[in-house]
Coordinates of all heavy atoms in Angstrom, one line a residue:
M1 N 113.3 -151.9 87.7 CA 113.4 -153.3 88.1 C 112.7 -154.1 87.1 O 111.5 -153.7 86.8 CB 113.0 -153.6 89.5 CG 114.0 -153.1 90.5 SD 113.6 -153.6 92.1 CE 112.2 -152.7 92.6
T2 N 113.2 -155.3 86.7 CA 112.5 -156.2 85.9 C 111.7 -157.1 86.8 O 111.9 -157.1 88.0 CB 113.4 -156.8 85.0 OG1 114.2 -157.8 85.9 CG2 114.2 -156.1 84.1
A3 N 110.7 -157.8 86.1 CA 110.0 -158.7 87.0 C 110.7 -159.8 87.5 O 110.5 -160.2 88.7 CB 108.8 -159.4 86.0
E4 N 111.8 -160.2 87.0 CA 112.6 -161.3 87.5 C 113.4 -160.7 88.7 O 113.8 -161.5 89.6 CB 113.6 -161.9 86.5 CG 112.8 -162.8 85.3 CD 112.1 -161.9 84.3 OE1 112.4 -160.8 84.2 OE2 111.3 -162.5 83.6
Q5 N 113.7 -159.5 88.8 CA 114.4 -158.9 89.8 C 113.4 -158.7 91.1 O 113.9 -158.7 92.2 CB 115.0 -157.6 89.4 CG 116.2 -157.7 88.6 CD 116.7 -156.4 88.0 OE1 115.9 -155.4 88.0 NE2 118.0 -156.4 87.7
I6 N 112.3 -158.5 90.7 CA 111.2 -158.2 91.8 C 110.9 -159.4 92.6 O 110.9 -159.5 93.8 CB 109.8 -157.5 91.2 CG1 110.2 -156.2 90.7 CG2 108.8 -157.4 92.3 CD1 109.1 -155.5 90.0
I7 N 110.6 -160.5 91.9 CA 110.2 -161.8 92.6 C 111.5 -162.5 92.9 O 112.1 -163.0 92.0 CB 109.3 -162.6 91.7 CG1 107.9 -161.8 91.4 CG2 109.0 -164.0 92.4 CD1 107.1 -162.6 90.5
I8 N 111.8 -162.7 94.1 CA 113.1 -163.4 94.5 C 112.8 -164.9 94.6 O 113.6 -165.7 93.9 CB 113.6 -162.8 95.9 CG1 113.8 -161.4 95.8 CG2 114.7 -163.6 96.4 CD1 114.3 -160.6 97.0
R9 N 111.9 -165.4 95.4 CA 111.5 -166.8 95.4 C 110.2 -167.0 96.1 O 109.7 -166.1 96.8 CB 112.7 -167.4 96.2 CG 112.7 -167.0 97.8 CD 113.8 -167.7 98.6 NE 114.0 -167.0 99.9 CZ 113.2 -167.2 100.8 NH1 112.4 -168.1 100.9 NH2 113.5 -166.6 102.0
P10 N 109.6 -168.2 95.9 CA 108.4 -168.5 96.6 C 108.7 -169.0 98.0 O 109.8 -169.5 98.3 CB 107.8 -169.7 95.8 CG 108.9 -170.3 95.1 CD 110.0 -169.2 94.9
V11 N 107.7 -168.8 98.8 CA 107.8 -169.1 100.3 C 107.0 -170.3 100.3 O 105.8 -170.5 100.1 CB 107.2 -167.9 101.2 CG1 107.2 -168.4 102.7 CG2 108.0 -166.8 101.1
L12 N 107.7 -171.5 100.9 CA 107.1 -172.8 100.9 C 107.1 -173.3 102.4 O 108.0 -173.8 102.8 CB 107.9 -173.8 100.0 CG 108.0 -173.4 98.5 CD1 108.9 -174.4 97.8 CD2 106.7 -173.4 97.9
T13 N 105.9 -172.8 103.0 CA 105.7 -173.4 104.4 C 104.4 -174.0 104.4 O 103.6 -174.0 103.5 CB 105.6 -172.1 105.3 OG1 104.7 -171.2 105.0 CG2 107.1 -171.4 105.3
E14 N 104.1 -174.6 105.7 CA 102.8 -175.1 105.8 C 101.6 -174.2 105.7 O 100.6 -174.6 105.0 CB 102.7 -175.9 107.0 CG 103.5 -177.1 107.2 CD 103.3 -177.7 108.7 OE1 102.2 -177.7 109.3 OE2 104.3 -178.4 109.1
K15 N 101.7 -173.1 106.2 CA 100.7 -172.0 106.1 C 100.6 -171.5 104.6 O 99.4 -171.4 104.2 CB 101.1 -170.8 107.0 CG 100.0 -169.9 107.1 CD 100.4 -168.7 108.0 CE 99.3 -167.7 108.2 NZ 99.6 -166.6 109.1
S16 N 101.7 -171.4 103.9 CA 101.6 -171.0 102.5 C 101.0 -172.0 101.6 O 100.2 -171.7 100.6 CB 102.9 -170.5 102.0 OG 103.7 -171.4 101.9
N17 N 101.2 -173.2 101.9 CA 100.7 -174.3 101.1 C 99.2 -174.6 101.3 O 98.5 -175.0 100.5 CB 101.4 -175.7 101.5 CG 102.8 -175.7 101.0 OD1 103.2 -175.0 100.0 ND2 103.6 -176.6 101.5
D18 N 98.7 -174.1 102.5 CA 97.3 -174.3 102.7 C 96.4 -173.3 101.8 O 95.3 -173.5 101.4 CB 96.8 -174.0 104.1 CG 97.5 -175.1 105.1 OD1 97.6 -176.1 104.7 OD2 97.4 -174.7 106.4
G19 N 97.1 -172.2 101.3 CA 96.4 -171.3 100.4 C 96.5 -171.6 99.0 O 95.7 -170.9 98.1
I20 N 97.2 -172.6 98.6 CA 97.3 -173.0 97.2 C 96.0 -173.3 96.6 O 95.6 -172.9 95.5 CB 98.4 -174.1 96.9 CG1 99.8 -173.5 97.3 CG2 98.3 -174.7 95.5 CD1 100.9 -174.6 97.3
V21 N 95.1 -174.1 97.2 CA 93.8 -174.5 96.8 C 93.0 -173.2 96.5 O 92.2 -173.3 95.5 CB 93.2 -175.4 97.8 CG1 91.7 -175.8 97.3 CG2 94.0 -176.5 98.1
A22 N 93.2 -172.2 97.3 CA 92.3 -171.0 97.1 C 93.1 -170.0 96.2 O 92.6 -168.9 96.2 CB 92.0 -170.4 98.5
K23 N 94.1 -170.4 95.6 CA 94.8 -169.5 94.6 C 95.5 -168.3 95.3 O 95.4 -167.2 94.8 CB 93.9 -169.0 93.4 CG 93.5 -170.2 92.6 CD 92.8 -169.6 91.4 CE 92.4 -170.7 90.4 NZ 91.5 -170.2 89.3
R24 N 96.1 -168.6 96.6 CA 96.7 -167.6 97.3 C 98.1 -168.0 97.4 O 98.4 -169.1 97.8 CB 96.2 -167.5 98.7 CG 95.0 -166.5 98.8 CD 94.6 -166.3 100.2 NE 94.2 -167.5 100.9 CZ 93.1 -167.9 101.2 NH1 92.1 -167.2 100.9 NH2 92.8 -169.0 101.9
Y25 N 99.1 -167.2 97.0 CA 100.6 -167.7 96.9 C 101.3 -166.5 97.6 O 100.9 -165.4 97.8 CB 101.0 -167.7 95.5 CG 100.2 -168.6 94.7 CD1 99.2 -168.2 93.7 CD2 100.2 -169.9 94.7 CE1 98.4 -169.0 93.0 CE2 99.6 -170.9 93.9 CZ 98.6 -170.4 93.2 OH 97.8 -171.2 92.4
V26 N 102.5 -167.0 98.2 CA 103.4 -166.2 99.0 C 104.8 -166.1 98.3 O 105.3 -167.3 98.0 CB 103.6 -166.7 100.4 CG1 104.4 -165.6 101.1 CG2 102.2 -166.9 101.0
F27 N 105.3 -165.0 98.1 CA 106.6 -164.8 97.5 C 107.5 -163.9 98.4 O 106.9 -162.9 99.0 CB 106.5 -164.2 96.0 CG 105.7 -164.9 95.1 CD1 104.4 -164.8 94.8 CD2 106.3 -166.0 94.4 CE1 103.7 -165.5 94.0 CE2 105.6 -166.8 93.5 CZ 104.3 -166.5 93.3
M28 N 108.7 -164.1 98.4 CA 109.7 -163.1 98.8 C 109.9 -162.2 97.7 O 110.3 -162.7 96.6 CB 111.0 -163.8 99.4 CG 110.9 -164.5 100.6 SD 110.3 -163.5 102.1 CE 111.7 -162.6 102.4
V29 N 109.9 -160.8 97.9 CA 110.1 -159.8 96.9 C 111.1 -158.9 97.2 O 111.5 -158.8 98.5 CB 108.8 -159.1 96.5 CG1 107.7 -160.2 95.9 CG2 108.1 -158.5 97.7
D30 N 111.5 -158.0 96.4 CA 112.6 -157.0 96.6 C 112.0 -156.0 97.6 O 110.8 -155.7 97.5 CB 112.8 -156.3 95.3 CG 114.1 -155.5 95.5 OD1 114.1 -154.4 95.9 OD2 115.3 -155.8 95.1
V31 N 112.9 -155.5 98.6 CA 112.3 -154.6 99.6 C 111.9 -153.3 98.9 O 111.1 -152.6 99.6 CB 113.4 -154.5 100.7 CG1 113.6 -155.7 101.5 CG2 114.7 -154.0 100.1
R32 N 112.3 -152.9 97.8 CA 112.0 -151.6 97.2 C 110.6 -151.7 96.4 O 110.3 -150.7 96.0 CB 113.1 -151.2 96.3 CG 114.4 -150.9 97.2 CD 115.6 -150.7 96.2 NE 115.8 -152.1 95.5 CZ 116.7 -152.2 94.7 NH1 117.5 -151.3 94.3 NH2 116.9 -153.5 94.0
A33 N 110.2 -153.0 96.2 CA 109.0 -153.1 95.3 C 107.8 -152.8 96.1 O 107.6 -153.0 97.2 CB 109.0 -154.5 94.8
D34 N 106.8 -152.2 95.3 CA 105.5 -151.8 95.9 C 104.4 -152.8 95.4 O 104.7 -153.8 94.7 CB 105.1 -150.4 95.8 CG 105.0 -149.9 94.4 OD1 105.1 -150.9 93.4 OD2 104.8 -148.9 94.0
K35 N 103.1 -152.7 95.8 CA 102.1 -153.6 95.4 C 101.9 -153.6 93.9 O 101.7 -154.6 93.3 CB 100.8 -153.2 96.1 CG 100.8 -153.4 97.6 CD 99.4 -153.2 98.1 CE 99.3 -153.4 99.6 NZ 97.9 -153.1 100.1
K36 N 101.9 -152.4 93.3 CA 101.7 -152.3 91.8 C 102.8 -153.1 91.1 O 102.5 -153.8 90.1 CB 101.6 -150.9 91.4 CG 100.3 -150.2 91.8 CD 100.3 -148.8 91.5 CE 99.0 -148.1 92.0 NZ 98.9 -146.7 91.6
Q37 N 104.0 -153.0 91.5 CA 105.0 -153.6 90.8 C 105.0 -155.2 91.0 O 105.3 -155.9 90.1 CB 106.4 -153.0 91.4 CG 106.7 -151.7 91.0 CD 108.0 -151.1 91.6 OE1 108.3 -151.5 92.7 NE2 108.7 -150.1 90.8
V38 N 104.6 -155.5 92.2 CA 104.6 -157.0 92.5 C 103.4 -157.5 91.6 O 103.6 -158.6 91.0 CB 104.3 -157.2 94.0 CG1 104.0 -158.7 94.2 CG2 105.6 -156.8 94.8
K39 N 102.4 -157.0 91.5 CA 101.2 -157.3 90.6 C 101.6 -157.7 89.3 O 101.4 -158.4 88.6 CB 100.0 -156.4 90.9 CG 98.8 -156.8 90.0 CD 97.6 -155.8 90.2 CE 96.5 -156.4 89.4 NZ 95.3 -155.3 89.6
A40 N 102.3 -156.5 88.7 CA 102.6 -156.6 87.3 C 103.7 -157.6 87.1 O 103.7 -158.4 86.0 CB 103.2 -155.2 86.9
A41 N 104.6 -157.9 88.0 CA 105.6 -158.9 87.8 C 105.0 -160.3 87.9 O 105.4 -161.1 87.1 CB 106.7 -158.8 89.1
V42 N 104.1 -160.5 88.9 CA 103.4 -161.9 89.0 C 102.7 -162.2 87.7 O 102.7 -163.2 87.0 CB 102.6 -162.0 90.2 CG1 101.7 -163.2 90.1 CG2 103.4 -162.0 91.3
E43 N 101.9 -161.2 87.2 CA 101.2 -161.3 85.9 C 102.0 -161.6 84.7 O 101.7 -162.4 83.9 CB 100.2 -160.1 85.7 CG 99.1 -160.0 86.7 CD 98.2 -158.7 86.6 OE1 98.7 -157.7 85.8 OE2 97.2 -158.7 87.0
S44 N 103.1 -160.9 84.6 CA 104.0 -161.1 83.5 C 104.8 -162.4 83.5 O 105.0 -163.1 82.5 CB 105.0 -159.9 83.3 OG 105.9 -159.8 84.3
V45 N 105.3 -162.8 84.7 CA 106.1 -164.0 84.8 C 105.3 -165.2 84.7 O 105.7 -166.2 83.9 CB 106.9 -164.0 86.1 CG1 107.6 -165.3 86.4 CG2 108.0 -162.9 86.1
F46 N 104.1 -165.3 85.3 CA 103.3 -166.6 85.4 C 102.1 -166.5 84.4 O 101.6 -167.6 84.3 CB 102.9 -166.8 86.8 CG 103.9 -167.0 87.8 CD1 104.3 -166.1 88.7 CD2 104.7 -168.1 87.7 CE1 105.4 -166.2 89.6 CE2 105.7 -168.3 88.6 CZ 106.0 -167.4 89.5
G47 N 101.8 -165.4 83.8 CA 100.7 -165.3 82.9 C 99.4 -165.5 83.5 O 98.5 -166.2 83.0
V48 N 99.2 -164.9 84.7 CA 97.9 -165.1 85.5 C 97.2 -163.7 85.7 O 97.9 -162.7 85.4 CB 98.1 -165.7 86.8 CG1 98.6 -167.2 86.6 CG2 99.2 -165.1 87.6
Q49 N 96.0 -163.7 86.2 CA 95.4 -162.4 86.7 C 95.4 -162.3 88.1 O 94.8 -163.2 88.8 CB 93.9 -162.5 86.1 CG 93.9 -162.4 84.5 CD 92.5 -162.6 84.1 OE1 91.5 -162.9 84.8 NE2 92.3 -162.4 82.8
V50 N 95.9 -161.3 88.6 CA 96.0 -161.0 90.1 C 94.7 -160.1 90.6 O 94.6 -159.2 90.0 CB 97.3 -160.3 90.4 CG1 97.4 -160.0 91.9 CG2 98.5 -161.3 90.1
E51 N 94.1 -160.7 91.7 CA 93.1 -159.9 92.2 C 93.5 -158.9 93.2 O 93.1 -157.8 93.2 CB 92.1 -160.8 92.8 CG 91.0 -160.1 93.5 CD 90.0 -161.2 94.1 OE1 89.7 -162.3 93.5 OE2 89.3 -160.9 95.2
S52 N 94.3 -159.3 94.2 CA 94.9 -158.5 95.2 C 96.3 -159.0 95.6 O 96.6 -160.0 95.5 CB 93.9 -158.5 96.4 OG 93.9 -159.7 97.0
V53 N 97.0 -157.9 96.2 CA 98.3 -158.1 96.8 C 98.6 -157.5 98.1 O 98.1 -156.3 98.2 CB 99.5 -157.5 95.8 CG1 100.9 -157.7 96.3 CG2 99.4 -158.2 94.4
N54 N 99.0 -158.3 99.0 CA 99.3 -157.6 100.3 C 100.8 -157.9 100.5 O 101.3 -159.0 100.4 CB 98.6 -158.2 101.5 CG 97.0 -158.0 101.4 OD1 96.7 -156.9 101.0 ND2 96.2 -159.0 101.7
V55 N 101.5 -156.8 101.1 CA 102.9 -157.0 101.4 C 103.2 -156.7 102.8 O 102.6 -156.0 103.6 CB 103.7 -155.9 100.5 CG1 103.7 -156.2 99.0 CG2 103.3 -154.5 100.7
V56 N 104.2 -157.4 103.3 CA 104.6 -157.4 104.8 C 106.1 -157.3 104.8 O 106.8 -158.1 104.2 CB 104.2 -158.7 105.4 CG1 104.6 -158.7 106.9 CG2 102.7 -158.8 105.4
N57 N 106.6 -156.2 105.6 CA 108.0 -156.2 105.8 C 108.4 -157.2 106.9 O 107.8 -157.3 107.9 CB 108.3 -154.7 106.2 CG 108.3 -153.9 105.1 OD1 108.9 -154.1 104.0 ND2 107.8 -152.7 105.4
V58 N 109.5 -158.0 106.7 CA 110.0 -159.0 107.5 C 111.3 -158.5 108.2 O 112.2 -158.3 107.5 CB 110.2 -160.3 106.9 CG1 110.5 -161.4 107.8 CG2 108.9 -160.8 106.1
R59 N 111.2 -158.4 109.5 CA 112.4 -158.1 110.2 C 113.4 -159.2 110.2 O 113.0 -160.4 110.2 CB 112.2 -157.6 111.7 CG 111.4 -156.3 111.8 CD 111.4 -155.8 113.2 NE 110.7 -156.8 114.0 CZ 110.6 -156.9 115.2 NH1 111.1 -155.9 116.0 NH2 109.9 -157.8 115.9
G60 N 114.7 -159.0 110.4 CA 115.7 -160.0 110.5 C 115.7 -160.5 112.0 O 115.4 -159.8 113.0
K61 N 115.9 -161.8 112.2 CA 115.8 -162.4 113.5 C 117.2 -162.5 114.1 O 118.2 -162.6 113.3 CB 115.3 -163.9 113.3 CG 113.9 -164.0 113.0 CD 113.4 -165.4 113.0 CE 112.0 -165.5 112.6 NZ 111.5 -167.0 112.7
L62 N 117.3 -162.3 115.4 CA 118.5 -162.4 116.1 C 118.9 -163.9 116.3 O 118.1 -164.8 116.7 CB 118.4 -161.8 117.5 CG 119.6 -161.9 118.4 CD1 120.7 -161.0 117.8 CD2 119.3 -161.4 119.8
K63 N 120.1 -164.3 115.8 CA 120.6 -165.6 115.9 C 121.9 -165.6 116.6 O 122.7 -164.7 116.4 CB 120.9 -166.1 114.5 CG 119.6 -166.3 113.6 CD 118.8 -167.4 114.1 CE 117.6 -167.6 113.2 NZ 116.7 -168.6 113.7
R64 N 122.1 -166.6 117.5 CA 123.3 -166.7 118.2 C 124.0 -168.0 117.9 O 123.4 -169.0 117.7 CB 123.0 -166.7 119.7 CG 122.6 -165.3 120.2 CD 122.5 -165.3 121.6 NE 123.5 -165.9 122.3 CZ 123.5 -166.3 123.6 NH1 122.5 -166.1 124.3 NH2 124.5 -167.0 124.1
Q65 N 125.3 -167.9 117.9 CA 126.1 -169.2 117.6 C 127.3 -169.1 118.6 O 128.4 -168.3 118.2 CB 126.6 -169.4 116.3 CG 127.2 -170.8 116.0 CD 127.4 -171.1 114.6 OE1 127.2 -170.2 113.7 NE2 127.6 -172.3 114.3
G66 N 127.3 -169.7 119.8 CA 128.3 -169.4 120.8 C 128.3 -168.1 121.2 O 127.3 -167.4 121.7
R67 N 129.5 -167.3 121.3 CA 129.7 -166.0 121.6 C 129.2 -165.0 120.6 O 128.9 -163.9 120.8 CB 131.1 -165.7 122.0 CG 131.6 -166.4 123.1 CD 133.0 -165.9 123.4 NE 133.8 -166.9 124.2 CZ 134.9 -166.7 124.5 NH1 135.6 -165.6 124.2 NH2 135.6 -167.7 125.2
T68 N 129.1 -165.4 119.4 CA 128.8 -164.6 118.3 C 127.3 -164.5 118.1 O 126.6 -165.5 118.1 CB 129.4 -165.1 116.9 OG1 130.7 -165.5 117.2 CG2 129.6 -164.0 115.9
Q69 N 126.8 -163.2 117.8 CA 125.4 -163.1 117.4 C 125.3 -162.0 116.4 O 126.1 -161.3 116.2 CB 124.6 -162.7 118.6 CG 124.9 -161.3 119.2 CD 124.0 -160.9 120.4 OE1 123.4 -161.7 120.9 NE2 124.0 -159.7 120.8
G70 N 124.2 -162.2 115.6 CA 123.9 -161.4 114.4 C 122.4 -161.5 114.1 O 121.7 -162.2 114.7
Y71 N 122.1 -160.7 113.0 CA 120.8 -160.8 112.6 C 120.7 -161.4 111.1 O 121.7 -161.2 110.4 CB 120.2 -159.4 112.4 CG 119.8 -158.8 113.8 CD1 120.7 -158.0 114.6 CD2 118.6 -159.0 114.3 CE1 120.4 -157.5 115.7 CE2 118.2 -158.5 115.6 CZ 119.2 -157.7 116.3 OH 118.8 -157.2 117.5
T72 N 119.6 -162.2 110.8 CA 119.4 -162.7 109.6 C 119.0 -161.5 108.7 O 118.6 -160.4 109.2 CB 118.3 -163.8 109.5 OG1 117.1 -163.3 110.1 CG2 118.8 -165.0 110.3
S73 N 119.0 -161.7 107.4 CA 118.7 -160.6 106.5 C 117.1 -160.3 106.5 O 116.3 -161.2 106.7 CB 119.0 -160.9 105.2 OG 118.4 -162.1 104.6
K74 N 116.9 -158.9 106.3 CA 115.4 -158.6 106.4 C 114.9 -158.8 104.9 O 115.7 -159.0 104.0 CB 115.3 -157.1 106.8 CG 115.9 -156.2 105.9 CD 115.9 -154.7 106.4 CE 116.6 -153.8 105.4 NZ 116.4 -152.4 105.8
G75 N 113.6 -158.6 104.8 CA 113.0 -158.9 103.6 C 111.6 -158.4 103.4 O 111.1 -157.7 104.3
K76 N 110.9 -158.8 102.3 CA 109.5 -158.4 102.2 C 108.8 -159.6 101.5 O 109.3 -160.2 100.5 CB 109.4 -157.2 101.2 CG 108.1 -156.7 101.0 CD 108.0 -155.4 100.2 CE 108.2 -154.2 101.0 NZ 107.9 -153.0 100.0
K77 N 107.6 -159.9 102.1 CA 106.8 -160.9 101.7 C 105.6 -160.3 100.9 O 105.1 -159.3 101.4 CB 106.2 -161.8 102.8 CG 107.1 -162.9 103.4 CD 106.4 -163.7 104.3 CE 107.2 -164.5 105.2 NZ 106.5 -165.2 106.2
A78 N 105.3 -161.1 99.8 CA 104.1 -160.6 99.1 C 102.9 -161.7 99.1 O 103.3 -162.9 98.7 CB 104.3 -160.2 97.7
Y79 N 101.8 -161.5 99.6 CA 100.8 -162.4 99.5 C 99.8 -162.1 98.3 O 99.2 -161.0 98.3 CB 99.8 -162.4 100.9 CG 100.7 -162.8 102.1 CD1 101.5 -161.9 102.8 CD2 100.5 -164.2 102.5 CE1 102.1 -162.5 103.9 CE2 101.3 -164.6 103.6 CZ 101.9 -163.7 104.4 OH 102.7 -164.2 105.4
V80 N 99.8 -163.0 97.3 CA 99.1 -162.7 96.1 C 97.9 -163.6 96.0 O 97.9 -164.8 96.1 CB 100.0 -163.0 95.0 CG1 99.4 -162.7 93.7 CG2 101.3 -162.1 95.1
K81 N 96.8 -163.0 95.7 CA 95.5 -163.7 95.4 C 95.1 -163.5 94.0 O 95.0 -162.4 93.5 CB 94.4 -163.1 96.4 CG 93.0 -163.6 96.0 CD 92.8 -164.9 96.7 CE 91.2 -165.3 96.7 NZ 91.0 -166.4 95.8
L82 N 94.9 -164.7 93.3 CA 94.5 -164.7 92.0 C 93.0 -164.6 91.9 O 92.3 -165.0 92.7 CB 94.9 -165.9 91.2 CG 96.5 -166.2 91.3 CD1 96.9 -167.4 90.5 CD2 97.3 -165.0 90.8
T83 N 92.5 -164.1 90.7 CA 91.1 -164.1 90.4 C 90.6 -165.6 90.2 O 91.3 -166.5 89.9 CB 90.8 -163.2 89.2 OG1 91.5 -163.8 88.0 CG2 91.2 -161.8 89.4
D84 N 89.2 -165.7 90.4 CA 88.6 -166.9 90.1 C 88.8 -167.5 88.7 O 88.9 -168.6 88.5 CB 87.1 -167.0 90.5 CG 87.0 -166.7 92.0 OD1 87.9 -167.2 92.8 OD2 86.0 -166.2 92.4
A85 N 88.8 -166.6 87.7 CA 88.9 -166.9 86.4 C 90.2 -167.2 85.9 O 90.5 -167.8 84.9 CB 88.3 -165.7 85.4
S86 N 91.3 -166.9 86.7 CA 92.6 -167.1 86.4 C 93.1 -168.5 86.5 O 92.5 -169.3 87.3 CB 93.6 -166.2 87.3 OG 94.8 -166.5 86.9
K87 N 94.0 -169.0 85.6 CA 94.5 -170.3 85.9 C 95.4 -170.3 87.0 O 95.9 -169.2 87.5 CB 95.2 -170.8 84.6 CG 96.5 -169.9 84.3 CD 97.2 -170.4 83.0 CE 98.4 -169.5 82.8 NZ 99.5 -170.2 82.5
A88 N 95.7 -171.4 87.6 CA 96.6 -171.6 88.7 C 98.0 -171.6 88.2 O 98.4 -171.9 87.1 CB 96.4 -172.9 89.5
I89 N 99.0 -171.4 89.1 CA 100.4 -171.4 88.8 C 100.8 -172.9 88.8 O 100.8 -173.6 89.8 CB 101.3 -170.5 89.7 CG1 100.7 -169.0 89.6 CG2 102.7 -170.6 89.4 CD1 101.4 -168.1 90.6
P90 N 101.3 -173.4 87.6 CA 101.7 -174.8 87.7 C 102.8 -175.3 88.6 O 102.7 -176.4 89.2 CB 102.3 -175.0 86.2 CG 101.8 -173.8 85.5 CD 101.6 -172.7 86.4
F91 N 103.6 -174.4 88.9 CA 104.8 -174.8 89.8 C 104.2 -175.2 91.2 O 104.6 -176.2 91.9 CB 105.8 -173.6 90.1 CG 106.7 -173.9 91.3 CD1 107.8 -174.7 91.1 CD2 106.6 -173.2 92.5 CE1 108.7 -174.9 92.2 CE2 107.4 -173.5 93.5 CZ 108.6 -174.4 93.3
F92 N 103.2 -174.4 91.8 CA 102.7 -174.7 93.0 C 101.7 -176.0 93.0 O 101.4 -176.4 94.0 CB 101.9 -173.5 93.5 CG 102.7 -172.3 94.0 CD1 103.0 -171.3 93.1 CD2 103.4 -172.5 95.2 CE1 103.9 -170.3 93.4 CE2 104.2 -171.4 95.6 CZ 104.5 -170.3 94.8
E93 N 101.1 -176.1 91.9 CA 100.1 -177.3 91.8 C 100.8 -178.6 92.0 O 100.1 -179.6 92.4 CB 99.4 -177.3 90.4 CG 98.5 -176.0 90.2 CD 97.4 -176.1 91.2 OE1 96.8 -177.0 91.5 OE2 97.1 -174.9 91.8
T94 N 102.1 -178.7 91.7 CA 102.7 -179.9 91.9 C 103.1 -180.2 93.3 O 103.3 -181.3 93.7 CB 104.2 -180.0 91.1 OG1 104.9 -178.8 91.6 CG2 103.9 -179.8 89.6
L95 N 102.9 -179.2 94.2 CA 103.3 -179.4 95.6 C 102.2 -179.8 96.4 O 102.4 -180.5 97.5 CB 103.8 -177.9 96.1 CG 105.0 -177.3 95.5 CD1 105.2 -175.9 96.1 CD2 106.3 -178.3 95.7
S96 N 100.9 -179.6 96.0 CA 99.7 -179.9 96.7 C 99.3 -181.4 96.6 O 99.7 -182.1 95.7 CB 98.6 -179.0 96.7 OG 98.2 -178.9 95.4

């Protein structure tokens, strides 16, 4: 998998926005990716130095609409912490 295939999209919530000041970012990543692959992908795409990566499997939620019900898609979140010497990611700096 390439770096562009591993990182699907950033997660933009109130909780994830609170971590931008401390250089903590949240991304939805491919479910087959592990910590080492996520670290390498973030470093190559954004040109930063990653200190640590934590990954969480996200279950699909049960949703109902009338009589019909189903589950939203499952996924994987990656919590990425950058080193103090690393520059911040410019995309997230415009949000805070």
Side-chain angles (χ1 to χ4, degrees):
M1 288 189 288
T2 64
E4 289 79 15
Q5 291 172 333
I6 291 174
I7 300 173
I8 298 172
R9 63 183 168 86
V11 176
L12 304 174
T13 61
E14 288 183 28
K15 186 175 180 180
S16 68
N17 286 343
D18 291 341
I20 292 175
V21 177
K23 295 184 181 178
R24 278 188 299 255
Y25 304 101
V26 184
F27 298 98
M28 288 300 290
V29 295
D30 191 278
V31 292
R32 298 166 293 177
D34 59 6
K35 289 182 180 185
K36 291 180 182 180
Q37 291 174 329
V38 172
K39 180 179 179 178
V42 171
E43 288 178 343
S44 68
V45 170
F46 298 109
V48 294
Q49 297 173 350
V50 176
E51 181 179 324
S52 65
V53 176
N54 294 328
V55 293
V56 177
N57 287 316
V58 180
R59 290 188 301 170
K61 292 183 178 180
L62 179 65
K63 297 289 184 177
R64 289 184 42 194
Q65 187 170 12
R67 295 184 202 182
T68 318
Q69 68 180 11
Y71 286 91
T72 59
S73 59
K74 63 181 180 178
K76 185 181 271 191
K77 279 187 195 177
Y79 293 87
V80 178
K81 170 82 170 116
L82 302 184
T83 60
D84 293 332
S86 176
K87 63 178 181 139
I89 298 175
F91 171 76
F92 290 98
E93 292 301 315
T94 60
L95 299 175
S96 59

